Amino acid sequence: MRTRRTAGALAAAMIVGGALASPAAQANSENTAELETSATTGGTVVLPTGDRVTVLPNGTAAIEPAEGREEIGFVTPPAFDGSGELIAVPFDMVDDIEAGLEDPRRYNITRLLEAGQTDATAAPESALDDRDYTGLLPDTTGESVMAADEAQKFSVILRDRAGDAPDDSWAMWTKRDGSDFGSFAIDADGVGSEAFMPGEYVIVTSFGRAPTDTERGELVLSITPVTVGDSQGELLVDASAAQPVSAEVERDDAEYVGAPIFYGAQKDESFSIGASGLAEARTDIYLMPEPDLPEFDLSLMYQPTFLSPEGSADPYTYNLALGELDGYPADTEYEFADDELAQVETHFQDLGVTMSGHTCNYGDFVERQAGIGLCRRVPVDFPSTHTMLYTAEPDIHWEHSAKGGIFAEGTQRVVDGIVDRHQEGVVYEPGQTERTVVKGPFSTGAPEVYRGVDDEGRNLIGGYLYPGYSTNGESLALVGYDGTVSLSRDGELVSEAEGVERFVLEMPTEPGRYTLAAESDFTGTTNVLFATESSQSWTFDVGEVPEGGDELFDLPVVSLGIEGAEGGWVDGDEPIEVTLQAMAGYPAAPVEVESMTFEVSYDDGKTWRNVSIDQDGGSATAELCPPRRAEFVSVRMTAVDAAGTEVSHTTIRSFGLE
């Protein structure tokens, strides 16, 4: 799966913060923003403010505000050096960082995770980034100080559509060739000044005002080239000259709930700039005129969402992704008829217990990302049917995810329920289709397991196990397991711990043949029918501790697929065609195995029957003919991959028979 922030780093900040872009306005992502970065080290960092940033190894990241900080937004300026590092700064920390009162290194999520630090406040100085920082970002130019005798004062002046100073603003500058960049501190009069060396620059701004009880708000974006040293000492960005951006849909009762927007310019793979924001429902969006930047490819991505009225008997959501990759569109007031869109009747299934949750849908260009990576969280019930309408164009693809069940207090982290992490890009065509969320059957998901050295010099192995998982056209994990995980070397127990979904164990540094094993019971309340018990074990060879101490283990599993499964149930009146596939890594990808076996039980694991399979590399097919009185099918799979890793996992009540 491609990541939404590429190596072509933005020199200007992408704003997600303040009154114009508060996380509360989204009401629909991980209590903030569900975005992806090019980070490769997974984990969670608690910022000095108490906010949490979680990154998975595939780059998916979510920002979760601390209790009482839900109205505080985040600035996420991509690293200027093209590394794709994730930097997440709460909006109320920006001034302190730029004033030198707060350490910006404690907000570089990528560098903290690479150093094995999960608490930014407690991270020792030795574990922090060793580069100098200019404001929020590392100084990659090696020239933090300008020659005072050559620098010239340059001011940017911001005015809203009423001619007043904006309530909220952000402005950054970059040299036109990408060799340097920085930000303006905008005062209460809407003015910011910096000393510049003579040359060609580009100024990027995002500003406006929040809505009130009586007036609508506004968000204004601009990208403007300027020449310093050519008698130009200031730039006036006057929003009265800006063009409105809006969308209308066919259904009269549809309620507009807001939109993220990104207005960008990309010079090459290593240098791009952009202004972005997230407008609330009562905030109007405006773009300043197209800049004269012939060496840049201009792009716009506008992603408005409309919902059916609360309590609607036939709920629906308009998910729109609108814009251009090769210039500034002449008309940014969009109108849509339903027959121009994909109308996907989406069936959200339960697992025997009703639950509430949400879905997130993100659309962007197939060719490259242009949006800011935010998906809007839309409430849904399990079970229910919800019509999702999507922009249906060949150059736009969509990614979907969903959650349901019981959430940790004050967060959007599921502690008992389901998490559908299905992220495959889908290109829709206009017309009516159907989609099912929560299919099953369930077996074991590919684990995320790594070893590393902590601050005390201990060698550890840890990560995430997925005792109940469905890869049958989805990537759906059941959450709510309890149990024990253990590590053995050459047949002797080394360490063990309680808790299986996320675990950490001490690990010897000596090479050997290790076994990682887990025994799990589902103790939650949202799933009382399927994947009630699970056992997993992997036996694999481990070599010397690598330089740096960190190592990822791609441990395989055998996934289970059955066409037509819904909500964990399968039609048992006819023979059941089963597909097996060896998988490893995250995102899980098919792998080759030397051998594979498949067994089933129709009495919750009391007795087992070997099933003949037709294996071809890492995949296999089989046919099941369950006894007439069977209610549930349990499964047990084994495999050995080319590296000699042996895997065995068992799932009690993998699926039910209708």
Side-chain angles (χ1 to χ4, degrees), residues 16 22-24 26 28-35 43-55 60-74 76 86 88-90 92 107 109 118 358 374 377 403 406-415 419 464 502:
V16 185
S22 69
Q26 299 171 49
N28 290 311
S29 46
E30 277 310 308
N31 219 13
T32 62
E34 288 186 1
L35 61 155
T44 297
V45 173
V46 180
L47 299 178
T49 54
D51 307 307
R52 300 168 63 91
V53 182
T54 299
V55 181
T60 303
I63 305 173
E64 181 180 324
E67 185 174 355
R69 294 178 52 80
E70 291 80 8
E71 298 295 331
I72 305 298
F74 287 80
T76 58
L86 172 60
V89 182
D92 58 353
Y107 298 86
I109 307 305
T118 58
H358 62 258
L374 299 178
R377 202 169 68 239
K403 294 182 177 182
I406 299 173
F407 296 80
E409 184 176 357
T411 76
Q412 289 301 320
R413 179 172 58 87
V414 175
V415 295
V419 176
Y464 301 86
R502 182 175 183 177

Side-chain angles (χ1 to χ4, degrees), residues 349-351 355 382 402-407 414 416-420 437-438 442 476-479 526-527:
Q349 304 290 345
D350 65 351
L351 290 171
M355 52 187 150
F382 300 81
K403 294 182 177 182
I406 299 173
F407 296 80
V414 175
D416 178 355
I418 59 172
V419 176
D420 179 13
V437 177
V438 187
F442 299 96
L476 189 139
L478 302 181
V479 180
T526 57
N527 167 33

Side-chain angles (χ1 to χ4, degrees), residues 248-371:
E248 291 186 9
V249 294
E250 180 177 315
R251 306 189 188 200
D252 293 336
D253 60 352
E255 299 177 358
Y256 171 68
V257 293
I261 184 169
F262 177 73
Y263 180 30
Q266 179 169 324
K267 186 175 183 180
D268 52 42
E269 288 298 318
S270 64
F271 178 48
S272 59
I273 55 179
S276 65
L278 176 62
E280 302 180 34
R282 297 182 59 249
T283 295
D284 299 321
I285 300 175
Y286 297 90
L287 298 182
M288 293 297 292
E290 178 177 314
D292 183 15
L293 291 168
E295 73 272 33
F296 286 78
D297 292 327
L298 304 180
S299 62
L300 172 70
M301 175 51 70
Y302 169 53
Q303 298 157 314
T305 301
F306 295 80
L307 301 181
S308 54
E310 185 174 357
S312 173
D314 297 304
Y316 62 83
T317 301
Y318 283 90
N319 306 280
L320 304 178
L322 317 169
E324 299 288 344
L325 267 180
D326 55 0
Y328 182 60
D331 184 3
T332 52
E333 296 182 88
Y334 301 91
E335 295 183 9
F336 286 94
D338 284 359
D339 60 9
E340 298 176 312
L341 305 172
Q343 303 174 53
V344 184
E345 189 176 31
T346 306
H347 305 288
F348 295 92
Q349 304 290 345
D350 65 351
L351 290 171
V353 176
T354 60
M355 52 187 150
S356 297
H358 62 258
T359 183
C360 260
N361 300 278
Y362 182 82
D364 211 326
F365 292 108
V366 173
E367 181 178 339
R368 63 178 172 88
Q369 176 196 345

